[in-house]
Amino acid sequence: MLIPIILSGGAGTRLWPVSREAHPKPFMRIGDGKSLLTQTHERALAVSGNTAPLIVTNRDYYFLSHDELADQEVKPTYLLEPTGRNTAPAIALAAMWAMEQDEDACMLVLPADHLIRDTPSFYTSVRHAENLAKDGFMVLFGIKPTAPETGFGYIEMGDKVSEHAQVVKRFVEKPDAVTAARYLEQGNYVWNSGMFCFKASTILEAFAAYNPALLEAARAVWNSTKPEGDKMELTSGFSALENISIDYAVMEKAKNIAVIPGDFDWSDIGAWKAVADAIPADAQGNTNNNCQTIVIDSRNTHIETTDRLVAVIGLDNLLVIDTPDALLVADKSKSQEVREVVSRLKASGHESHKTHRTVARPWGTYTILQDAPGFKIKRIAVKPGASLSLQMHHHRSEHWVVVSGKAEVVNGDHTIALEANQSTYIPAGNKHRLTNVGDTELALIEVQCGSYLGEDDIVRFEDIYGRVQ
């Protein structure tokens, strides 16, 4: 078996304000309108012969991932981390899972946030990598440099081990511009894509040889993890594992390492300039995400917007990224520095580093329509059959007005049915629950009133999604 392992996480801070902590880069839609996660999942199925992937992700992204891939005929299994611990712990645990599926399984490790359009060439490289993996090699996919890029790690290639692969001579950290130009000229360096292929047994043997402490700790976590439906939620011991990449933990120490210099187009979509480069440009070099724009006397400018028209005049080499609650305007050459904006937002406690105005929940979404001292207005959308937790608020009361659909509302000691144009009032301190009992989406307007309206003013008593405090 060739089992795809999809690593899905990371805040994507250089892609703010679209990528945020609660809605990171794998869920961004680029190119054909599908999310990067969906594109990776489909690519993995095609190359593996429809073997269901394992997606390793944070537990907070399970329901978002599940909804994103709901239309896929072949569904993945999920390995859920309580916190991010880098790629080495994730791959070690994924290998233990893969060994239980097939002792001779090869693993194809793919980050969920890469863009590859030349899929036939990628599939060819995977076939070469799989053959080497069966012979005991741990194979990396290198990308032939097209420019002196300083944002990637590099791999120096040595002698050939096959017609299509070479020995990894050394790993190189992100270089400065002069060094990157020299690597490009020499021709024996490739970008380190972060994609791998190896047998599950081979990578576990490598952990045993080069990082036995991590392997032992990871195995203890695995032995205490129990499957539940399509997911396995790792126990709290996972958070104590070493926070280390697979390169540092194993690859830079091992001897049986090969690299295949891929001919396929590839982007890690690491910053907004990479997003712009992935979209066909007009005659003046301008790009957009199929949004409403008016562009006058502007060149090499990228525009993203969701729900309103953006007009630009006289711009050159700029990024204009518009979301309902935040606007980014930056020089393309400074796209790597967007992460500094996120750092400042986090330091100040501003919520826009973490969430959008529309926030996904296991039961549906809520959208903040207005937030002011003493009140907040939301649009609540609940999926058919879904239910919010039985909960209570200390500091706010809520008024619910149903716009469409059928609701069952627990309000204190009473259970009532509500339809369109009907409402109820929930005083602070009342236990309450909202359930969609119809077969279409339930939409309602919620008006919160109170001295404190933070999302943490919630006490859950019962929850079908396991979120009881």
Side-chain angles (χ1 to χ4, degrees), residues 129-445:
E130 185 179 9
N131 290 333
L132 285 169
K134 290 176 181 177
D135 290 335
F137 281 95
M138 293 187 288
V139 185
L140 297 92
F141 294 86
I143 307 299
K144 294 179 181 178
T146 56
E149 177 62 55
T150 60
F152 300 141
Y154 284 69
I155 297 170
E156 183 181 4
M157 300 183 296
D159 297 335
K160 285 197 168 188
V161 296
S162 73
E163 182 182 354
H164 305 285
Q166 295 171 247
V167 168
V168 172
K169 195 169 182 180
R170 67 179 178 127
F171 292 83
V172 182
E173 294 294 334
K174 297 175 183 178
D176 58 29
V178 174
T179 306
R182 187 172 75 249
Y183 291 165
L184 182 63
E185 183 179 353
Q186 287 180 217
N188 63 326
Y189 287 83
V190 290
W191 294 331
N192 185 351
S193 73
M195 299 185 293
F196 308 90
C197 186
F198 34 63
K199 289 182 69 174
S201 57
T202 301
I203 192 65
L204 289 175
E205 289 168 2
F207 273 107
Y210 302 110
N211 205 318
L214 176 58
L215 178 64
E216 182 180 357
R219 196 172 295 282
V221 172
W222 179 249
N223 290 337
S224 64
T225 298
K226 305 299 180 187
E228 182 184 346
D230 65 351
K231 66 180 187 294
M232 298 164 286
E233 189 160 345
L234 296 170
T235 56
S236 58
F238 178 83
S239 301
L241 298 184
E242 185 180 5
N243 187 356
I244 187 172
S245 72
I246 190 67
D247 287 349
Y248 285 136
V250 172
M251 295 297 173
E252 294 187 5
K253 304 171 184 176
K255 306 301 181 186
N256 54 331
I257 310 294
V259 58
I260 292 179
D263 290 322
F264 51 89
D265 69 327
W266 168 90
S267 174
D268 73 339
I269 310 295
W272 280 113
K273 184 179 181 302
V275 175
D277 290 343
I279 298 173
D282 66 15
Q284 288 72 46
N286 300 307
T287 52
N288 67 69
N289 64 330
N290 295 316
C291 56
Q292 295 185 76
T293 61
I294 295 176
V295 180
I296 299 172
D297 190 27
S298 296
R299 293 164 295 282
N300 303 318
T301 291
H302 178 69
I303 303 171
E304 294 235 357
T305 183
T306 52
D307 59 355
R308 57 183 169 188
L309 171 72
V310 171
V312 299
I313 303 173
L315 302 188
D316 187 11
N317 205 48
L318 290 188
L319 301 164
V320 181
I321 315 299
D322 182 48
T323 66
D325 65 339
L327 170 66
L328 170 71
V329 180
D331 191 288
K332 270 189 183 179
S333 66
K334 301 291 185 181
S335 61
Q336 297 285 343
E337 298 177 28
V338 173
R339 65 177 68 182
E340 177 61 25
V341 175
V342 179
S343 295
R344 295 193 184 192
L345 289 170
K346 291 182 74 171
S348 67
H350 201 289
E351 281 296 308
S352 65
H353 84 273
K354 183 176 182 179
T355 58
H356 286 274
R357 185 165 287 175
T358 295
V359 179
R361 287 288 184 258
W363 42 261
T365 63
Y366 71 79
T367 301
I368 299 174
L369 304 177
Q370 188 169 359
D371 189 357
F375 76 96
K376 183 185 291 185
I377 304 174
K378 291 182 176 180
R379 180 187 186 274
I380 309 289
V382 185
K383 294 180 287 190
S387 177
L388 281 67
S389 58
L390 180 65
Q391 59 186 254
M392 180 266 288
H393 309 295
H394 290 292
H395 304 287
R396 70 176 185 253
S397 61
E398 296 179 343
H399 303 256
W400 291 350
V401 180
V402 174
V403 176
S404 62
K406 297 180 179 180
E408 180 182 270
V409 178
V410 174
N411 188 354
D413 296 329
H414 304 282
T415 299
I416 58 175
L418 295 178
E419 297 189 7
N421 206 30
Q422 295 179 331
S423 64
T424 189
Y425 164 66
I426 300 168
N430 259 29
K431 287 185 180 180
H432 57 279
R433 188 203 299 269
L434 175 66
T435 301
N436 183 350
V437 293
D439 55 8
T440 59
E441 181 183 82
L442 167 65
L444 60 85
I445 299 299

Side-chain angles (χ1 to χ4, degrees), residues 53-67:
L54 176 72
I55 296 181
V56 186
T57 190
N58 189 282
R59 63 169 59 145
D60 291 341
Y61 304 144
Y62 167 69
F63 292 103
L64 197 58
S65 303
H66 193 275
D67 288 348

